[in-house]
Every structure is written in structure tokens, then in C-alpha cells.
Amino acid sequence: MAKDKKLVESITSMQEDFAQWYTDVVKKAELIDYSSVKGCMIIKPAGYALWENIQHELDRRFKETGVQNVYMPMFIPESLLNKEKDHVEGFAPEVAWVTHGGQNQLQERLCVRPTSETLFCDFYKNDVQSYRDLPKVYNQWCSVVRWEKETRPFLRSREFLWQEGHTAHATAEEAQERTEQMLNVYADFCEQVLAVPVIRGRKTEKEKFAGAEATYTIEALMHDGKALQSGTSHNFGDGFAKAFGIQYTDPNNQLQYVHQTSWGLSTRIIGAIIMVHGDDSGLVLPPKIAPTQVMIIPIQQQKEGVLEKAGELCEALKGTFRVKVDDSEKSPGWKFSEQEMRGIPVRIEIGPKDIEKGQCVFVRRDTREKYQVAFEEAAGKMAELLDTIQSDMFERAKAHRDSHVSDAHNYDEFKSILEEKPGFIRGMWCGEQSCEDKIKEETAATSRCMPYEQEQISDVCVCCGKPAKKLVFWGKAY
Amino acid sequence: MAKDKKLVESITSMQEDFAQWYTDVVKKAELIDYSSVKGCMIIKPAGYALWENIQHELDRRFKETGVQNVYMPMFIPESLLNKEKDHVEGFAPEVAWVTHGGQNQLQERLCVRPTSETLFCDFYKNDVQSYRDLPKVYNQWCSVVRWEKETRPFLRSREFLWQEGHTAHATAEEAQERTEQMLNVYADFCEQVLAVPVIRGRKTEKEKFAGAEATYTIEALMHDGKALQSGTSHNFGDGFAKAFGIQYTDPNNQLQYVHQTSWGLSTRIIGAIIMVHGDDSGLVLPPKIAPTQVMIIPIQQQKEGVLEKAGELCEALKGTFRVKVDDSEKSPGWKFSEQEMRGIPVRIEIGPKDIEKGQCVFVRRDTREKYQVAFEEAAGKMAELLDTIQSDMFERAKAHRDSHVSDAHNYDEFKSILEEKPGFIRGMWCGEQSCEDKIKEETAATSRCMPYEQEQISDVCVCCGKPAKKLVFWGKAY
């Protein structure tokens, strides 16, 4: 029992130390463990089950838009990585290099993919010949490696899991449409399934993906007021196509370059789920993504009929919900703590007195509200309650986010907001990278995105005071 | 249209050159493409969709037995790989080594996992403390790397996709039970879903997995009479536990070593599907695994009502079957060839004359038999037909396999069977590795397995004539 005790006692409060709270939650909720490989994490069953649900839901949404899954090699020959100038500059400093196969040194070293644009381009170069071969709308689920110096579970690790979509189109318009379409798939998924509200926008030139013409992003706000880039979608125009020579013959028999996009979402998003919804008792999972939605916890389970009734209830709910009974030998109190730590959206308490009255007790994880429910109404009430929790969680996260968006009209205001009220700052921008650089250096805040919904909140740049061009969401970020 | 023509014309017949036929099929059925990374393949949508169906079906069967999915790092520090002597000897010669991260040389080089026993052991060492923590029944879906010299799509490539299960148990009995249980999961999956009959048995000491106490295998017979090891399950006893120090306290508070197993099935199995069922027109996919089960091909689709009726039929079947309409501009003949090349189990031909008669024509891919079916009976007949195809394919493969199992009673007989009638040879064995070595050197045949169903077909070893201990299935293998 020593282990359970520690589970409950040792979580740091968010208020006291948010970073430590985060680390405690990922460990105590058994999402990950550290490994002997520096900077790489072990994703444990509770963490991987979350990722499986994310995959399942996203993959379905992808396929509805015509995406096909493929698998590319995990290695990229150095010469291939070097083909697109901006791309290699962005990624080469942080790749892992394979130099030997067995006993032999390789003729050309290979990097472990940090992302696979170059591999897809190399493939499309041969696979795309005619306009009839277009569009190509491919995606892969895989792991990638980036040799980061500072790592944190889910947020930044040397290896992480993700999906990367790579498409090739006949026209610039079609590529732009696909870029935006996939950003919207991500945004809808985050809001509808993960209950995480996001800001949709475009990255500045400074912040865009290495080799992209334009990068679009969804940005979420964590509980500590820091932003998390939660998914990105890139339009490459014909830049990669020209670097790799990806051409097709159009209906008039003319050679044309393809237009390409890529888009990715990673296990990082699990960090968002934790930091948007979690509390001082641990994880709080939205019902739609929770691997276990309902935990039935028998009270005085040694008494006749209690475990049987818990089992019956489980059977009755099983067809519709992801439900389990915790019939282990721990005390109900410990079981409650564990269920809370793991973020299971609802627990059902059921003991001899409840059984006498023909009822059980539903307890919401997010608000801890309790409801007495007659057995015969359990399934119907549970469906309602899970829906309510899902939408309440979104509304609560949105209210928190909205209350942490502040407008800054000049640089002093900008800096004092950053200190006093962490969150997104809306501020106008002149369009010069020098202002982004200055803000980053002096305040550690970065331009998160130029939101789709533009507004002119001031005529001058929040940093330099010159005429403003764009509204930007600024913030400190993970 | 030049592409389609080539598709149909250029496939080599199995009789003429089986290896070339195989290569033609994987390319023309668009399962894979070669990549710029030597020895690594690109799995294209048709190939990956097969793997997704395999994953889906196996994963469900795993979870029914209590398996939980996790994800371990893709890198193994050299010191960790070195911990179990037999294991490192088996794998070190064929691993890829990462020596640099970004610009910096690593303090310790890392290999890209060829298999993950060492990582799981390193994890279990800390995660398992008490008998209450057991069993651990974990699995991961991932890619692994083995630096092979000769490669062939699916059968042997430097990187391949697989699942690897790794379990830890309190007792030797439980580990043995799990080892056999998972082999049976593989065997049932192959036979029931892939329609590939397999021989279940145990590997000899020479052929067992590096570091295992015992390896169990399922062996399938390809159309050319060569065997393919299609899935393996290993019992490690407490060997790895001792090398890594994985101990738990039992209910009497005594320290005990855990007993471990691992089991894996890879994209290699797609090679078995191709080589067991394929024919000179291309792939033949069992209905249960086919990404598309039914292709509707309109005849004279330019005529009024044809495409509409094809669409209606598709709608009517869609809820129950994986069905598509090929309404491209190619001729029906080319469409038939493509559907055959891709191994789609049934095509439905539907033209103006059929529509007049209120019917369509079902054509089986495996036998090419045709059936006229009234529209209103299409769904019911299709369900029947797909069931029939599935079981006929299994029976046909089994009849082929059984007719290619020969008994050899002495070495001359053994050698002449190998030359005249490729397939499995049943022959008794004395138990000495020297006989296995001799047979391999002189005939290229290897011991495939000691089948579960033992029989004493002779009293002496088929090689040396000394007293026989075991019945062995021998054969040339991929």
C-alpha cells in the first residue's frame, strides 16, 4: 500500500510550482516513465491509450477528407536532406546521425527523420508524372527524432510520436485549400474532442516552418498562462517541387511544378490536455478521449451483493461506455484518489445502503458534484452527464483562455501585462522581424500567430510605434 | 493510358520466375516502392491499408487476452544492448549505430532498436517491485531496423514494421502459458483472417531467438514450396531477469526473479499473403483482410443510367462491405485487369443489359467464376460469396500445403525430395546441431520447427542414422 500513499501525498500544487505539478501528474497518473535513453520517454499504458484514442479520432477525420496512409523509411540520406536550403538549415543542427551499419561505416551517413518532407519529395518526384496522378494526399503515423537539449515529457522530447501529412497538388489554390482544411481538422478535433479551445492563425516569417511559404497554427493556452502550439499546417508553394524536380504534365501537355503542403500533430497535444484541464488532484480527461470514462468503486465490497451489483451495473453500461470496476483490495478512499489522479471523468460509488435504496452515486471528476441515480436510469443519466462534462470542460477552458487575453497598445503596457497577467497578449505589429527579435530577447514572449480574425486595435506597432500592419497574438510559450 | 498497359503486360508468370513474379506483384499492385535509402521500402497506400487491417484485427485479439500497448524509445544505449550475452551476440552484427546528435559526438553510441527486449527489461527492473505488479503484458507497434545485406520487399528489409509483445510473470508456468497463448493467437489469425494455414511448433536450439530459452513458431508454405516463418513467440525463462536484475517480492516477502516472454509478427506476413494466394494475374486477397472487398465496374458507363445504378448498388452494399465504384475513364477491360492485379476479391460488372434484366454479375477473383445476381439479392449473395471465397482460399492453400509435405526416412530420400518436390520435409532428428549444420550446408534446407503434433515416422535421424529424438519439419525458407 506504500505506493498508493505516495501517489496521493506527493503531488505538488499548481499554485506552488506549476512545472513540478506537471511532472508529478505525468508520473503519478502513470502516463510516462523516464528511460535510460536521455531525453526519450517511455509512454506507459495510460498515456498510450490516450494517444490511441487521439489517433483513432484524427485518422477517421483525415480519411473523410480523402487522406491515405503510407509509411516512409525512418532514415534520410544526408544528400537528400540537403536538397532544400532553408529546410536543411532548420533541421540539420538537431538531427541524430547514423554512421555505421553493423561493423561497417556507411558510405553516406543517414539522419533519423526529424520530419519527412524530403522523403516524400523524393518519392513524388518519380510517382507523379501526369495531372491524372494528382492530388497525392498521403499521411504517416510514426516517430521522429530531434536532438533537443532541454526535454520535458510530451512537450519536448528527443523522440516523439506524431502524424505527418504530405500532399502534392496541381495548383497553388488547391494546396492553399488543403493547408487550411487540415488546420481546421486539427482545430475542430481539439475543440470538439479534447475540449481545448484554440486560436487559429498564421505564423510570422520568423516563426514559420523551415522551407515553408506559409505556416498556419492552432495555439492553446495552458493553465499557467503559457501558450502551446498544438498543430501546424504548412503551404510549401512550389519551393520543394523546384528543389526536388517534382513536375507533372498538365492536360495541355505542359510540364508544371506541383504545389505541396504538410501538416502535423504530435504527442505534445497530451501536454495540452494535462495543462488545460488538470487540477491539484491530477489529470482531468474529457470524456470523449478518456480511455476509461467511468470507474465503478464498490463501498464495503466484502458485504454480500455489493460486488455483484457493481458487476451488473458495469455490464449494463459496457455496451455504451468505457467502464471498469475497481474491485482491488485497496480502500475506497485510495481508489477515489487513484481515479481522480488518472482523470477518469465519472466514478460511481455503490455500497450496501445504495443497493437498499436501488440507487448508486455518480461523482463528476471535474466539479466533484454528486448525483444519486436509480439503477434503471444509470445508462441514460450517464450519457447525459458525460455530454455535460465534455461541454462544461470546453466552456470552462474557453472562459479561462478568454479571461487571459489582454490588449496591449504600447510596449510598456505589453511588458506590464506579461508580468502581471500571464496569457495571450493581443498587440499590433509593424511586420518587421526586428520587433519580434526585440520582444523575444527582452520579455521571452514570441509571436504566436496572426489570427484569422484580424482587428485593428491600434494604429501603431506595440513594440516600435511605427504604423501597424497586423494584429498578433503574443505570449510566452512551451 | 500507357501506364495501365504496362501494368497488365509486364507481369512475369510464377512458373517462369517466381522471384520476379513476386517483385512484379508488389510493384504492380502498388504495395510498395523502392526508396533512396538502400534496403528500405516505401509502403504505399494499398500496402499500408493491408497492414492497418492486420493491426486492427491482431490488436483486438491481443487486447482480449489482456495486452496493453505502450511505446518505448527507438534507441538502445550500447551498454544496455550488451547486458544479455546471447542477445547481443545475435543482434550486434546487424544494428545501425547513431554516433552523433546534431554537431556533437555522443558519449555513448546508441543503436536503433532491432528488437526491444533490453529496453523492456530496463523498464521492468524499476517498474516491477511486488507480486502485485505482475503480470506485465505489454506490446508496442513500431518499426525496427536490422542492417541486412540482401533485402526483398516485406520479406527482408532494413527497416520493417511489426508489433513486439514483452511480458513479465511471477512463475515459469505462467510465462510458458503466455508464450503458447500468443503463438495460438498468431496461428488463429493467420488461418482465420489471412486464410494462410500454418504449422505450429518449436524451434531447435540452433534456430531459436538470441537469448531465449525456447522459441515457438508458425511456419507457412509459399506457392514455390519455400517456407516462411510467419510469427514467433519466445519464452526467456528468467535469463533476462537475471542479466537485468528484475526481481519482485512474493507474498512471503521473498525476492524472486520474473519470468519473461516476447512475441512478434511483422509486415513480412504480407509476403505470405502474396505468395500463398497470388496468381499470374497478381494479388488475390482474402476478403477478411482486403482493404477493398468489392469493386463495381460499370460497362458502357457513358450510357444513361449505368453510373447511377452502379452508385445505387454501391450505396446498398456500403454499410456491410468495403466497396468502391471504378468510374474512371479507362476501359472496362483495363479496370478488370487492375482489380485483378490488386487482388480485390469480387468485382461486380454492371451494364445496360444487366440493368434491363434487373441484375448484375459477380466475378470471383480467386476462381473467376461468374454469377448473375438480381439487384435485390446483391447484399445477401455478397455476404455468402465472400464467406465462401474466404473458406475456399484457406482450403485451397491447405490442400497445396498438404500436398507439399513429404516424409523422408534417410538422407538420400531427403535430398531427392528437396530437388524433385519442393515443400516441407518431415524427417526425424537425433537432436544434434551437427546434423542441422550439415543439412543446411549441403542442401540449404533448415529445420523449420519441431511440430506440436509429434509422430515417430522412423527410429533414426534422417541425416546421421543415429537414434531419433524428434520429428522435425525441414525446408528451404525465406
Side-chain angles (χ1 to χ4, degrees), chain A residues 136-417:
Chain A
K136 294 285 184 196
V137 185
Y138 288 171
N139 172 67
Q140 70 177 355
W141 293 93
C142 62
S143 78
V144 287
V145 169
R146 297 176 188 180
W147 220 252
E148 307 277 0
K149 290 206 179 60
E150 300 284 327
T151 61
R152 298 195 61 195
F154 296 121
L155 301 175
R156 197 171 291 278
S157 60
R158 287 188 171 170
E159 180 187 8
F160 57 90
L161 302 180
W162 79 344
Q163 59 67 220
E164 46 178 328
H166 295 269
T167 71
H169 305 270
T171 66
E173 293 68 34
E174 212 183 290
Q176 179 61 21
E177 212 172 283
R178 174 59 69 171
T179 310
E180 292 177 24
Q181 178 182 29
M182 299 319 286
L183 194 81
N184 288 333
V185 168
Y186 290 153
D188 292 345
F189 165 74
C190 284
E191 302 199 329
Q192 293 163 9
V193 181
L194 307 184
V196 170
V198 295
I199 308 284
R200 306 171 200 211
R202 183 174 167 175
K203 288 282 186 191
T204 62
E205 288 296 298
K206 176 182 163 72
E207 299 289 337
K208 75 181 185 185
F209 182 83
E213 208 170 273
T215 288
Y216 298 84
T217 180
I218 49 172
E219 300 281 328
L221 197 71
M222 304 300 100
H223 209 86
D224 62 346
K226 279 166 95 172
L228 187 85
Q229 176 181 305
S230 304
T232 48
S233 186
H234 317 289
N235 187 343
F236 293 117
D238 57 8
F240 272 92
K242 284 181 171 160
F244 282 80
I246 314 172
Q247 287 184 296
Y248 69 96
T249 47
D250 71 13
N252 304 319
N253 225 22
Q254 301 294 307
L255 271 180
Q256 305 284 358
Y257 285 106
V258 300
H259 291 75
Q260 291 173 272
T261 82
S262 81
W263 22 277
L265 183 144
S266 77
T267 37
R268 187 159 222 242
I269 199 73
I270 296 175
I273 300 173
I274 299 167
M275 292 193 288
V276 167
H277 300 304
D279 66 19
D280 282 345
S281 302
L283 270 184
V284 182
L285 295 175
K288 285 191 184 169
I289 209 73
T292 303
Q293 297 173 309
V294 181
M295 182 63 86
I296 302 174
I297 299 182
I299 316 292
Q300 297 186 285
Q301 65 185 37
Q302 74 288 358
K303 292 221 171 150
E304 206 189 311
V306 173
L307 279 178
E308 287 80 347
K309 198 70 200 177
E312 269 174 42
L313 200 54
C314 186
E315 281 306 311
L317 298 176
K318 218 156 87 174
T320 324
F321 312 101
R322 299 187 286 273
V323 55
K324 282 185 182 167
V325 179
D326 185 349
D327 57 3
S328 64
E329 285 169 24
K330 300 160 194 160
S331 74
W334 290 124
K335 293 180 188 178
F336 296 170
S337 298
E338 286 190 336
Q339 168 257 325
E340 292 186 353
M341 182 64 74
R342 287 168 194 164
I344 298 167
V346 176
R347 77 165 172 261
I348 301 182
E349 303 175 0
I350 176 171
K353 282 183 201 153
D354 301 306
I355 295 172
E356 259 173 46
K357 292 190 230 161
Q359 64 171 38
C360 54
V361 179
F362 288 6
V363 186
R364 286 174 67 156
R365 169 64 183 91
D366 61 333
T367 62
R368 291 199 172 69
E369 278 172 273
K370 295 190 174 201
Y371 310 86
Q372 299 189 326
V373 179
F375 289 134
E376 61 277 14
E377 291 180 352
K381 291 283 181 196
M382 186 58 76
E384 270 176 45
L385 184 58
L386 291 176
D387 279 351
T388 306
I389 294 173
Q390 181 80 29
S391 61
D392 285 1
M393 284 179 72
F394 178 75
E395 291 306 331
R396 213 176 303 126
K398 192 163 178 302
H400 177 270
R401 197 268 315 271
D402 290 345
S403 73
H404 287 76
V405 179
S406 315
D407 290 1
H409 303 86
N410 58 56
Y411 199 36
D412 284 340
E413 203 179 353
F414 188 98
K415 286 186 284 189
S416 71
I417 293 170

Side-chain angles (χ1 to χ4, degrees), chain B residues 1 5 28 44 60 99 117 121 139 162 179 192 211 227 246-247 281 299 301 311 337 356 383 404 416 426:
Chain B
M1 303 288 110
K5 219 167 212 161
K28 303 284 167 191
K44 295 175 74 172
R60 187 177 64 69
T99 57
E117 276 72 14
C121 284
N139 173 66
W162 79 344
T179 310
Q192 293 163 10
I246 315 173
Q247 288 183 297
S281 303
I299 315 293
Q301 67 184 34
S337 298
E356 258 174 44
H404 287 76
S416 72
R426 301 202 313 161

Side-chain angles (χ1 to χ4, degrees), chain A residues 36 52 69 71 95 102 122 159, chain B residues 36 71 74 95 102 122 159:
Chain A
S36 291
E52 284 183 309
N69 285 337
Y71 188 77
V95 296
D122 191 47
E159 180 187 8
Chain B
S36 291
Y71 188 77
M74 71 153 80
V95 296
D122 191 47
E159 181 187 8

